Amino acid sequence: MIKFRWYYDKDKEEIFLNEMTEKGFAMTKFFLGFYKFERCKPNEYTYRVDLINEKTERELRDYINLIEETGAEFVQRWGIWAFFRKKGEFNLYTDIDSQITLYTKIRNTFLWLSIIEIFILPSQINGWFNGSDMAKFFMGTTIFFILIIIIFLSQVYKSNQKIKELKEFKNYE
Amino acid sequence: MNRQPLTESLYYILLSVIKPNYGYGIMENIKKITNNRINMGAGTLYGAINILLEKDYIELYSEEKISRKKKEYIITNLGIKILKEEISRFEELIKNGKGVLND
């Protein structure tokens, strides 16, 4: 079975994947929003999505080895994300400090991506209004970049909320 | 002393590398000595090991060259010093707590 979903929020993506295993479908492949599922026993696996953009290839290999030693499986990577699954209970981040670090990294990643898009935006707007016959194309890309910036910044906001919640829970503030 | 107290995770990892130990061995040891209370996730352990390496509280002991690369870590002298400081801080916490409650 193949399902199409488009997630920016890794927590929502995990919920989706784990709801699918509840129904007896285990994700085996991902490509550009297309999730491929194979039959499994209901609740056979727990899926986790992790941010890997700060790890070198070597560090990632070490990390995957460590995760596999715990009995979990590396399903695949996709850009800055990696998918893992394990039979039974499965958590990658089990204390508040490491959860705060994770969401801080996620926030910073989306913040950097937003900044890059913001720098690209003026050239698209310029293309739209400089009277060239490509105006329609640049109108499209302008709208596209604005949408992406809004989505990325909303992820920055969401991560910040999450960090705040975790810190409050930890009694920092 | 202006050093932050160790987190529970860092403290238990240090206790697990008094003798050379590798990732999964550290997790298993922590699970055992806390009677399954702490089942540390790989993401947490991986990050914590990097923090401890950066602070020079632990160091790389050996690396399996063949097949799977399993890295073993061991506590440094600085790590032992920090651990001792933490334990005397805990002793103070316990002494003061019990002192108040036993009155």
Side-chain angles (χ1 to χ4, degrees):
Chain A
M1 178 170 57
I2 289 172
K3 278 198 176 227
F4 181 80
R5 290 279 189 289
W6 199 262
Y7 287 107
Y8 290 97
D9 185 328
K10 76 139 196 117
D11 293 338
K12 285 196 179 148
E13 189 175 27
E14 281 179 359
I15 291 169
F16 164 64
L17 294 174
N18 290 323
E19 277 172 359
M20 289 300 288
T21 61
E22 256 174 54
K23 296 177 199 154
F25 294 98
M27 188 272 254
T28 52
K29 272 201 179 83
F30 175 82
F31 182 81
L32 213 67
F34 292 95
Y35 295 81
K36 192 180 170 204
F37 291 93
E38 277 166 20
R39 286 230 74 117
C40 67
K41 286 180 220 134
N43 284 319
E44 189 175 347
Y45 295 102
T46 306
Y47 278 79
R48 293 290 167 218
V49 182
D50 201 1
L51 185 75
I52 53 164
N53 63 332
E54 285 187 356
K55 290 185 173 69
T56 64
E57 286 303 309
R58 215 198 127 87
E59 285 167 350
L60 182 63
R61 231 174 18 243
D62 283 349
Y63 186 51
I64 291 171
N65 280 347
L66 176 64
I67 291 176
E68 285 178 339
E69 269 184 304
T70 68
E73 269 174 75
F74 169 57
V75 181
Q76 76 165 83
R77 60 193 288 183
W78 179 263
I80 59 174
W81 304 102
F83 297 89
F84 297 97
R85 70 175 183 186
K86 191 184 172 205
K87 291 187 174 170
E89 206 190 321
F90 179 36
N91 287 302
L92 289 171
Y93 295 90
T94 48
D95 71 8
I96 290 196
D97 294 276
S98 61
Q99 286 161 7
I100 292 172
T101 308
L102 171 68
Y103 285 100
T104 306
K105 282 181 185 170
I106 292 175
R107 181 198 57 197
N108 294 347
T109 302
F110 278 112
L111 189 62
W112 272 114
L113 290 173
S114 313
I115 290 168
I116 292 167
E117 307 299 323
I118 287 167
F119 272 101
I120 297 172
L121 189 59
S123 61
Q124 310 304 309
I125 296 173
N126 188 43
W128 180 5
F129 289 105
N130 70 358
S132 80
D133 44 5
M134 295 276 282
K136 275 238 163 74
F137 170 80
F138 283 111
M139 185 183 83
T141 55
T142 301
I143 293 167
F144 173 78
F145 277 107
I146 289 172
L147 274 176
I148 292 285
I149 291 164
I150 292 169
I151 290 166
F152 285 176
L153 287 178
S154 72
Q155 291 307 314
V156 172
Y157 176 77
K158 268 194 200 169
S159 306
N160 257 338
Q161 289 300 106
K162 186 88 192 176
I163 294 165
K164 220 175 113 193
E165 264 171 45
L166 288 165
K167 283 187 175 173
E168 267 165 19
F169 189 65
K170 209 197 155 187
N171 259 338
Y172 264 166
E173 292 161 343
Chain B
M1 197 167 72
N2 47 19
R3 189 177 54 77
Q4 285 279 312
L6 288 177
T7 64
E8 194 176 64
S9 301
L10 296 182
Y11 177 70
Y12 273 124
I13 294 167
L14 285 182
L15 288 187
S16 305
V17 292
I18 297 295
K19 278 185 255 168
N21 206 345
Y22 64 99
Y24 186 56
I26 296 171
M27 286 173 169
E28 287 295 285
N29 185 60
I30 294 173
K31 214 195 264 182
K32 197 180 88 194
I33 61 179
T34 62
N35 293 315
N36 289 321
R37 184 174 66 83
I38 302 177
N39 190 0
M40 194 178 286
T44 298
L45 178 69
Y46 187 88
I49 285 177
N50 285 332
I51 292 171
L52 292 171
L53 284 170
E54 228 169 79
K55 288 179 184 282
D56 288 323
Y57 294 177
I58 64 170
E59 62 191 14
L60 198 59
Y61 179 77
S62 74
E63 201 169 338
E64 247 177 53
K65 292 277 177 256
I66 17 162
S67 69
R68 288 182 117 194
K69 290 205 169 75
K70 213 184 254 182
K71 284 178 175 172
E72 278 191 304
Y73 302 94
I74 190 158
I75 196 163
T76 59
N77 288 332
L78 178 62
I80 289 173
K81 187 177 153 259
I82 296 295
L83 207 47
K84 283 182 176 162
E85 280 174 19
E86 280 296 281
I87 292 167
S88 31
R89 192 176 66 86
F90 295 152
E91 277 169 349
E92 181 207 279
L93 289 173
I94 293 167
K95 196 186 79 198
N96 287 332
K98 282 189 173 167
V100 168
L101 289 180
N102 289 343
D103 271 350

